Amino acid sequence: MTPSIQSKLPHVGTTIFTVMSALANEHNAINLGQGFPDYPMNEALIALVNKAMQGGHNQYVHMNGLPLLRERLAEKIKDLYATNINVDTEITITPGGTYAIYTALTTILQPGDEVIVFEPAYDSYIPNIEINGAVPVLISLVYPDYKIDWEIVKQKVTPKTKLIMLNTPHNPTGALLNADDIVQLQNLLKGTGIFILSDEVYEHLIFDSKKHESMLRYPTLYERSFVCFSFGKVYHCTGWKLGYCVAPPALMKEFRKVHQFNCFTCNSPVQFALAEFLQQKNNYLDLGFFLQQKRDYLKKGMQQTKFKPLPSYGSYFQLYSYDDITDESEKDFAIRLTKEYGVATIPASAFYKKGEDNKVLRFCFSKKESTLNEAVNRLMKV
Ligand code: PMP
Ligand code: GLN
């Protein structure tokens, strides 16, 4: 008898990013869907990886990550967030941010635990929770600002609440946590045993002189947090799939137990290269301004179309409303835009378990101006 598999994720299909990129390729559309830059990354960083390979740095590095890279990251964290991180006990290099998130959830969750998730939510969160037998407790961010309603959060906390998931800057909305959110969060968690998973992969992609409210800034929040980062977003190399997780020693000790038998250690030459490249601080400090110009460039072009922008203060993304154009669902409209007009986007409904539909699409603006121009030319016909 052929064995039949019992799915651990029976309700999950293929991620929307893969679906829309495939559709974009099939129809030769401009891909403003999946979040990745179409401009080249820094040549100097490529040269450093080459140098590391030629220099023989091709064997396993320490399972927690190259010590020099961890040291440089700890220095950066101290500079930016005024927090001292122990390089031996509080930081682990991972194969990307997604893996760091999955590992943290697998480390902490027991079957039946409840996890507070704000929707729209990055598409890996809910499957990562469910595969661990835990239960996502879904709370919608309030349209159109996508702010957290902390009164609702208070009502949703139960004795089973194990963890709260945060993402700032936020994908897909570009919303940020602000100082008031931090106070609300501190008040909510005071005296509880609730953990935080904070997805901060867009930490440097912040616009309009806003501040990144990292959990690393606040001792009473950091003491219960796994904070996840991605080098792909910082150095325009999403395909390199390297990131890291920062957590207090007791949490990190357990995280590493899961990590060591899953990945063990990450790509060595890239870690050598990044350790050196991290010393050039402007590469990450100027990033917000660089992407802000792209957000504004697309927004200016889009004034010639019927799409209306919602505010975006960070990330690679901006939501645009199309309620002046059609009543179609986000998914149908995104598919039609790709097929008929040659521009791929992501329906925001893909970031909701039950597909809430506000007639908004996510546009990725981390693209060359020529790409953004061509997309606008096509969208003017809609
Ligand atoms: N979190 C969010 C919100 C993201 O947009 C991404 C982008 N892929 C990730 C995590 C994962 O980053 P990585 O590619 O390093 O896994
Ligand atoms: N983070 C990227 C996005 O939101 C894509 C990552 C992926 O394809 N899984 O578009």
Side-chain angles (χ1 to χ4, degrees):
M1 188 173 95
T2 325
S4 68
I5 187 159
Q6 186 186 353
S7 176
K8 286 198 160 182
L9 294 170
H11 307 298
V12 164
T14 304
T15 156
I16 188 73
F17 308 120
T18 301
V19 170
M20 291 309 293
S21 284
L23 199 68
N25 285 340
E26 190 188 327
H27 294 276
N28 218 356
I30 294 175
N31 192 353
L32 303 190
Q34 194 175 23
F36 61 89
D38 72 343
Y39 42 83
M41 63 172 295
N42 195 308
E43 293 281 343
L45 180 52
I46 296 176
L48 285 172
V49 178
N50 260 317
K51 187 177 104 180
M53 284 184 169
Q54 303 281 1
H57 295 302
N58 300 303
Q59 308 309 328
Y60 295 133
V61 295
H62 192 281
M63 74 166 222
N64 299 334
L66 181 73
L68 184 62
L69 177 58
R70 283 184 278 138
E71 271 170 40
R72 298 264 155 89
L73 288 170
E75 282 163 21
K76 177 183 168 200
I77 288 168
K78 188 162 168 41
D79 281 359
L80 293 179
Y81 307 124
T83 301
N84 287 309
I85 296 297
N86 182 310
V87 293
D88 292 325
T89 57
E90 293 180 71
I91 180 160
T92 300
I93 308 298
T94 63
T98 313
Y99 171 102
I101 293 164
Y102 180 79
T103 305
L105 290 170
T106 302
T107 300
I108 214 78
L109 295 179
Q110 303 286 346
D113 283 345
E114 291 179 1
V115 180
I116 290 180
V117 181
F118 297 103
E119 288 189 311
Y122 185 59
D123 74 340
S124 74
Y125 298 169
I126 293 173
N128 283 187
I129 292 164
E130 291 178 337
I131 207 164
N132 281 293
V135 182
V137 174
L138 306 174
I139 300 176
S140 286
L141 296 170
V142 185
Y143 179 84
D145 298 330
Y146 296 98
K147 302 293 297 173
I148 296 176
D149 182 335
W150 289 100
E151 279 311 310
I152 295 186
V153 184
K154 268 185 224 159
Q155 290 160 19
K156 296 272 188 176
V157 171
T158 77
K160 288 189 178 168
T161 308
K162 178 63 81 66
L163 182 131
I164 180 165
M165 293 202 64
L166 300 169
N167 173 212
T168 187
H170 185 256
N171 179 3
T173 67
L176 306 179
L177 291 184
N178 62 24
D180 181 54
D181 292 311
I182 296 294
V183 172
Q184 301 272 7
L185 182 64
Q186 285 169 323
N187 290 340
L188 180 83
L189 299 184
K190 203 186 295 168
T192 74
I194 300 173
F195 294 94
I196 297 171
L197 193 155
S198 187
D199 177 348
E200 302 184 12
V201 299
Y202 298 106
E203 73 178 316
H204 298 301
L205 281 61
I206 296 215
F207 317 137
D208 308 327
S209 307
K210 304 264 185 213
K211 176 178 166 197
H212 175 50
E213 291 290 7
S214 176
M215 295 305 115
L216 294 170
R217 287 183 194 278
Y218 301 96
T220 60
L221 297 177
Y222 175 57
E223 68 182 9
R224 55 179 78 234
S225 294
F226 294 90
V227 193
C228 299
F229 299 94
S230 168
F231 290 109
K233 312 293 172 182
V234 181
Y235 295 115
H236 313 304
C237 52
T238 60
W240 283 15
K241 293 299 296 186
L242 203 72
Y244 53 103
C245 181
V246 182
L251 277 61
M252 188 47 81
K253 185 172 170 213
E254 293 301 315
F255 179 101
R256 286 174 176 172
K257 289 184 189 172
V258 179
H259 166 69
Q260 70 181 339
F261 296 126
N262 194 9
C263 156
F264 175 56
T265 179
C266 304
N267 182 310
S268 311
V270 168
Q271 293 189 60
F272 278 92
L274 284 168
E276 201 167 327
F277 202 62
L278 262 163
Q279 286 181 296
Q280 298 176 31
K281 297 184 183 174
N282 284 350
N283 282 310
Y284 54 83
L285 294 179
D286 296 344
L287 200 57
F289 185 61
F290 176 72
L291 276 145
Q292 176 178 323
Q293 286 174 310
K294 295 203 172 289
R295 176 201 64 177
D296 293 345
Y297 191 83
L298 176 64
K299 197 167 148 194
K300 188 152 184 274
M302 290 290 276
Q303 285 171 355
Q304 303 163 77
T305 74
K306 291 191 188 131
F307 291 85
K308 289 177 302 192
L310 272 61
S312 163
Y313 301 108
S315 82
Y316 277 163
F317 310 113
Q318 181 146 23
L319 294 177
Y320 281 82
S321 162
Y322 63 83
D323 62 4
D324 284 350
I325 301 174
T326 171
D327 289 336
E328 279 163 283
S329 74
E330 290 175 3
K331 193 168 173 213
D332 288 348
F333 188 47
I335 291 171
R336 192 162 71 81
L337 269 189
T338 312
K339 289 185 178 170
E340 290 180 17
Y341 295 92
V343 180
T345 57
I346 302 286
S349 52
F351 294 75
Y352 292 86
K353 193 170 162 90
K354 295 224 171 84
E356 193 172 309
D357 200 311
N358 292 306
K359 311 278 176 249
V360 290
L361 298 176
R362 189 193 81 173
F363 287 72
C364 173
F365 50 74
S366 65
K367 305 289 173 188
K368 295 187 288 236
E369 288 191 354
S370 54
T371 309
L372 298 174
N373 269 335
E374 182 53 28
V376 167
N377 286 340
R378 294 181 185 195
L379 293 170
M380 279 162 62
K381 301 187 188 115
V382 181

